[in-house]
């Protein structure tokens, strides 16, 4: 009887040991369901980007810096650049004529400084997010110029030396290549764009100044109009350093990567930098396609855009409009970002890692 009990105990112990070994093997072989988020890890985007003095970043929500430790851990370990998502838009940072609200944006600056990251300030001038006090004030041209100048120089001056690059103008060109209707265009006229760059430069001469927009990669009519405007600025010594390609897209949309590269080359010849500034790739449609298939398509688009950027010397940053599907400002089923809603890396994350690794290997 004693021997039977002993044999049974030994049998149970052997079963437990075997099960533990199998679990360890599963953990070790499924390498692409987990990622070490510690700084300095060679599989992080940040580590790979910094080897080539390149920036990888994400838009950041200041409220989440207070409430989600998983969110902040990924941001700090994976990225060497962050961008303000909403905190520097006119209506939030300057809600009343004589009142500025810097606290939310200050939190992002503090986080960046703590994690040795640079910051993109988004955005100084846009047709949207204009506060009611500006829209309903019935101000004349000179008054509107003064309002805009004071706003730009107060905000840029507050963050002087702390912002690496500003999106000075956001989305001022339509898909037809015309100036987008806005309160700034109606009251000040087309010169508001040039003036905004001049005023921002006066407030912080060391900050890079960008024009930021979406859709140029597949629309040469829009790109050509923008190119003519920015080339005119460069020829006239208007202080502009580059153009931001937002790259909001979706898996069913074709992108002409050769055309995108040609645009980058034209901008380089004009002396302008390029940065990818708001990339996300929606995959809600087509609804009848499997998730693995859609995830693979998303990964390929992320990889190809990054590859196009890396192969053009004037493309200096790759920034996404968020880092995790849990907090995307888009319609949730789009799942447009590189970490899923449980903070696990998706195929899109690994496609970026592998693209950076391949680029670094070629550049040795």
């Amino acid at each position: 009887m004693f021997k039977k009990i002993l044999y049974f105990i030994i049998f149970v112990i052997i079963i437990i040991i075997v099960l533990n070994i199998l679990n360890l093997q599963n953990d070790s072989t499924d390498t692409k369901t987990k990622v070490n988020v510690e700084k300095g890890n060679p599989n992080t985007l940040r580590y790979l980007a910094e080897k080539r003095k390149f920036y990888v970043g994400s838009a950041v929500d200041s409220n989440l810096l207070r409430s989600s430790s998983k969110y902040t851990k990924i941001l700090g370990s994976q990225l060497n650049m962050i961008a303000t998502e909403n905190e520097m838009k006119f209506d939030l940072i300057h809600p009343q004529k004589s009142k500025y609200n810097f606290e939310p944006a200050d939190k992002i600056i503090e986080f960046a400084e703590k994690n040795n990251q640079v910051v993109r300030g988004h955005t100084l001038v846009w047709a949207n997010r204009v506060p009611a006090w500006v829209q309903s004030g019935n101000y004349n041209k000179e008054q509107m110029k003064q309002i805009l100048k004071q706003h730009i120089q107060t905000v840029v001056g507050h963050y002087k030396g702390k912002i690496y690059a500003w999106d000075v103008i956001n989305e001022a060109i339509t898909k037809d290549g015309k100036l987008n209707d806005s309160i700034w265009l109606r009251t000040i006229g087309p010169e508001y764009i040039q003036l905004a760059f001049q005023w921002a430069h006066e407030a912080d001469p060391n900050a890079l100044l960008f024009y930021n927009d979406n859709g140029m990669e597949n629309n040469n009519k829009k790109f050509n109009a923008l190119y003519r405007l920015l080339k005119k600025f460069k020829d006239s010594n208007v202080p502009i350093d580059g153009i931001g390609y937002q790259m909001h897209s979706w898996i069913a949309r074709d992108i002409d990567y050769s055309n995108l590269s040609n645009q980058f080359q034209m901008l380089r010849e004009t002396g302008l930098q390029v940065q990818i500034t708001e990339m996300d790739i929606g995959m809600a449609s087509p609804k009848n396609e499997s998730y693995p298939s859609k995830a693979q398509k998303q990964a390929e688009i992320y990889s190809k855009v990054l590859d196009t950027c890396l192969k053009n010397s004037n493309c200096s940053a790759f920034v996404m409009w968020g880092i995790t599907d849990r907090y995307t400002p888009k319609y949730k089923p789009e799942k447009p970002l590189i970490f899923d809603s449980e903070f696990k890396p998706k195929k899109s994350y690994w496609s970026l890692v592998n693209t950076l690794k391949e680029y670094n290997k070629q550049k040795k």
Side-chain angles (χ1 to χ4, degrees), residues 139-147 187-189 191 195:
Y139 300 108
N140 62 34
K141 178 176 181 175
E142 290 305 314
Q143 289 172 323
M144 285 295 284
K145 284 172 67 175
Q146 187 58 36
I147 287 170
T187 57
I188 299 174
E191 65 265 33
L195 290 171

Side-chain angles (χ1 to χ4, degrees), residues 10-228:
I10 293 171
F11 175 76
V12 170
I13 292 172
I14 291 172
I15 292 296
I16 291 172
I17 292 172
V18 169
L19 288 174
N20 283 335
I21 290 172
L22 289 174
N23 283 334
L24 286 172
Q25 288 176 338
N26 286 336
D27 286 344
S28 63
T29 56
D30 193 13
T31 58
K32 293 194 176 182
T33 62
K34 299 179 180 179
V35 60
N36 188 335
V37 296
E38 297 304 319
K39 295 175 186 176
N41 181 274
N43 282 326
T44 61
L45 297 173
R46 177 175 191 157
Y47 177 90
L48 294 165
E50 287 179 347
K51 288 189 74 174
R52 293 298 171 186
K53 298 180 180 179
F54 183 75
Y55 289 109
V56 175
S58 164
V60 171
D61 182 337
S62 61
N63 291 317
L64 297 174
L65 297 180
R66 303 180 179 95
S67 62
S68 176
S69 60
K70 290 183 178 179
Y71 178 74
T72 57
K73 191 171 185 179
I74 289 177
L75 291 178
S77 62
Q78 291 288 340
L79 310 174
N80 57 0
M81 172 184 279
I82 57 176
T84 56
E85 185 173 295
N86 292 300
E87 290 77 1
M88 289 181 173
K89 290 173 181 173
F90 203 135
D91 61 337
L92 291 184
I93 204 166
H94 193 178
Q96 298 174 27
K97 187 174 183 178
S98 58
K99 179 182 178 181
Y100 288 84
N101 180 21
F102 293 118
E103 183 181 357
D106 286 350
K107 294 292 183 184
I108 293 177
I109 300 296
E110 290 169 11
F111 179 86
E113 290 175 344
K114 180 180 177 182
N115 288 278
N116 195 27
Q117 297 164 316
V118 298
V119 180
R120 295 189 92 261
H122 176 82
T123 176
L124 293 171
V125 188
W126 189 21
N128 299 336
R129 305 297 294 266
V130 179
W133 69 267
V134 176
Q135 297 190 59
S136 60
N138 294 316
Y139 300 108
N140 62 34
K141 178 176 181 175
E142 290 305 314
Q143 289 172 323
M144 285 295 284
K145 284 172 67 175
Q146 187 58 36
I147 287 170
L148 188 58
K149 179 180 181 180
Q150 183 184 57
H151 170 78
I152 290 172
Q153 297 202 327
T154 300
V155 174
V156 175
H158 179 81
Y159 294 106
K160 184 177 182 180
K162 296 181 178 182
I163 297 290
Y164 166 80
W166 285 100
D167 287 332
V168 178
I169 300 288
N170 194 53
E171 300 174 358
I173 305 291
T174 69
K175 64 180 181 180
D176 297 321
K178 299 178 181 179
L179 289 178
N180 191 24
D181 181 52
S182 70
I183 193 170
W184 313 113
L185 180 64
R186 293 193 300 271
T187 57
I188 299 174
E191 65 265 33
Y192 85 89
I193 299 175
Q194 177 176 332
L195 290 171
F197 282 101
Q198 292 173 344
W199 292 331
H201 180 70
E202 289 170 5
D204 188 352
N206 294 320
L208 296 179
L209 306 180
F210 279 74
Y211 174 91
N212 191 54
D213 214 327
N214 193 39
M216 294 85 70
E217 62 278 2
N218 279 10
N219 186 341
N220 280 332
K221 189 173 184 179
K222 179 173 184 174
F223 172 78
N224 289 335
L226 181 56
Y227 174 79
R228 288 192 296 269

Side-chain angles (χ1 to χ4, degrees), residues 339-358:
F339 282 80
D340 68 17
S341 60
E342 300 301 318
F343 303 96
K344 294 178 181 178
K346 296 161 58 178
K347 286 183 178 180
S348 294
Y349 170 83
W350 292 108
S351 76
L352 296 180
V353 166
N354 291 333
T355 301
L356 281 165
K357 282 184 175 180
E358 184 62 30

